[in-house]
Amino acid sequence: MRIRKNLRISGIVQGVGFRPFIYRLALKHCLGGYVRNTPSCVEIAVEGLPEGLEAFCRDLTDSAPILACLQEVVSEDAPPLGEENFSILASHGSGEAAAVIPADIGLCPDCAAEILSQQNRRYFYPFTNCTNCGPRFTIIKNLPYDRAHTTMAGFAMCDACRQEYENPLDRRFHAEPTACPACGPVVWLEIGGRRRSRECLTQAAEMLWNGKIIAIKGLGGFHLACDARQEPVVQLLRQRKGRRDKPFAVMVRDLAAAEAICELNRFEKSWLRSPASPIVLARQRANPGIAASLAPGNRYLGLMLPYTPLHLLLFQHSPDALVMTSGNRSEEPLAFTNDEARRTLGELADAFLFHNRDIHVPCDDSVVRPLHDGSTIILRRARGYVPDTIQLPLPCHEDLLGVGAQDKTTFGLAWRRTALLSQHLGNLDLVETIDYYRGAIDHFQTLSRRRPTVAAHDLHPGYVSTSYAKGLDNVRLIAVQHHHAHIAACLAENGRLERCLGLAFDGAGYGPDGTIWGGEILAADLADYTRVGHFAPVVLPGGDAAAQNPNFMALSYLFAVYGEAALSQAARLGLRFSPLQERLLLRQIATGWQSPVTTSAGRLFDAVAAALDICRERTYEGQPALELEMVAEGQDWGYYPLKIGHHHNQLVIDTIALFRQVVEDRQRGVAPAVISAHFHESLARGCVAACLTLRERLRLNLVALSGGVWQNARLFLRTKELLTKAGFEVIFHRQTPANDGGIALGQIAVAAAVLDREQ
């Protein structure tokens, strides 16, 4: 007796070869019916003998394509219709959108082999792709994910490509960007406004060998590229880009070239070869043979392998290690159109490597730092991961928008149990970035066909994202404290609802008491929090100005320790201020004039880095803390005793006394490397001591680590280790950055919990 089932599959099931997989599966089990895309899911109808349907459903989940992610499978019995043939139907465009758009995927081995095979019709074709690789998110304009809704719509397929595209048994079946030299996009080199199409990759490579800078159009925007082994051109690129010290990423020809530069463990190799192809931070070898100015003050280098055919082909002629940094001036939005690149990068690049496949959605490279224990610090979530969704541990009773923070901005949309986070958008300080932010929100709403009725925003009244939320019409607003959002994001992505001890350490967040928080211990769940501990408060002289100048924070801490003798102590450490600065800073610190109080962990790191003469001039966010971490070497677990006091029923970790011990050791001539190691160990032990006290008081054993300071691998690993040894369960970020790139998820989670509590 024949039976029939209707199935709806949601998740990452479009653009990943899912329909041809279903087609082959139905043929294998002698089933009739159909499969088709809809805006919300993939619909399947299968009909045949019971044992065939049983095997089909089993294989559906056990053998799905590697890039697919089945989040929900809904199956319903239906009356048989007598269908014996199975077909792939045209996409159905109506209905509620919930389908997940696939992320851009790095070049697969099959396509790479074709590109380098002289017998293949795609030999040396720089836009080769298939169902298993190539652009997705960056070219899509609307759902369902079909060619007509992408920037490939203007390229009519030739007969050979059409045959592959329409054959369910071919790996290019409905690979929407599929093309070949006869019908697809083209690449050209442009120098001084003159276009050169023939041998353009060879000419570009020759320019790179000769110390030139080239703007290269990639998947999600432009890179600025130069030879990573030539110090003069790397310095020139820094000068032109206005990026004095911040590390440059390097793309290398292959894994062998990567291993010649960095010491790679199995985790780092796995990330480099993964379909997402992110930038992977790896420790440099002692004599890597590359420009010293690639990553000043940093023992690690950001590496990536060629993830597009264009990159692969360029490396057939170019140096084996190329700087590949974002195509923009420092802090400006990423250039992603040809005209924009000509306008904004003309003074930075000596030539342009253009192509005519438009990028609809700009998307920067993702950045990860694998650790030796198998965990990974995600520093930037973008290409390769966006727009993969995150499942929430509780339902959203209304469609939500989390507008994110001010720096490292992302936003997120959420419905039911699904959160859709944007790519990294940058800092909302420039008009161009704000326009980019608004446009990205509009695009995500178009793709998801969602119009949120609730918007969650930060408490800080000066954030552009907060102003954006308050400017929305007919939307309920939910304000979320910054550090609560950090901890909520960590809870949400780990699928946890219970209350925890949250260690929220970062640079700054607006506290409801009017001070600047940043070294916080919260007792929190998704719906609510209580501040139960924090770092010792100090003055933030000049407000934001202190965040830009580590010396100011060192003087503030010295004043907290030594009072009026702070300047003489500063002089002993080699800290120098102009007479005007001395008068102004002392007045601000003593009176609080234009200088709020802060408990910021990030500013503590700044002060220590300045006191040790490790970093006294900050040229990019997080530089003092990063260089302080880099100085600490080896497994030196010496530490300074760290006192924990009480104030208004809150624990106070005495970071002022910790700073005093740092200064005294430095004045005794102890090496900065030793002091840095002891400083990190002291903080880790202090965190554990505080958590032990609070566990006894609050009966909480779950600890969540969130905030940008936890990107410090030394502090993160040691704190996690000591907490685990003390019997705590420790959760941390695995899918989103611990920095402000995860704030939008936390805002969504808090808003969902608030709405759920009201039900």
Side-chain angles (χ1 to χ4, degrees), residues 89 136 180 251 289 549 574 612-613 717-719 723 757:
L89 302 182
R136 304 291 199 272
C180 75
M251 182 179 284
N549 194 323
L612 298 181
D613 197 15
L717 287 170
R718 188 61 174 153
T719 304
L723 283 169
R757 190 171 55 183

Side-chain angles (χ1 to χ4, degrees), residues 256-275:
E259 289 187 289
I261 296 172
C262 291
E263 301 168 0
L264 300 179
N265 60 34
R266 60 189 177 93
F267 303 117
E268 291 155 348
K269 291 178 184 178
S270 177
W271 278 101
L272 282 169
R273 293 181 294 204
S274 68

Side-chain angles (χ1 to χ4, degrees), residues 40-61:
S40 62
C41 63
V42 168
E43 288 183 355
I44 305 170
V46 281
E47 181 174 331
L49 297 176
E51 56 269 25
L53 263 72
E54 181 180 348
F56 174 91
C57 292
R58 183 176 59 250
D59 289 350
L60 174 66
T61 54

Side-chain angles (χ1 to χ4, degrees), residues 550 605-606 609-610 614-615 618 620-629:
F605 276 80
D606 291 354
I614 290 170
C615 180
R618 172 188 180 271
Y620 62 89
E621 185 181 0
Q623 181 180 3
L626 184 147
E627 294 187 3
L628 184 63
E629 178 195 353

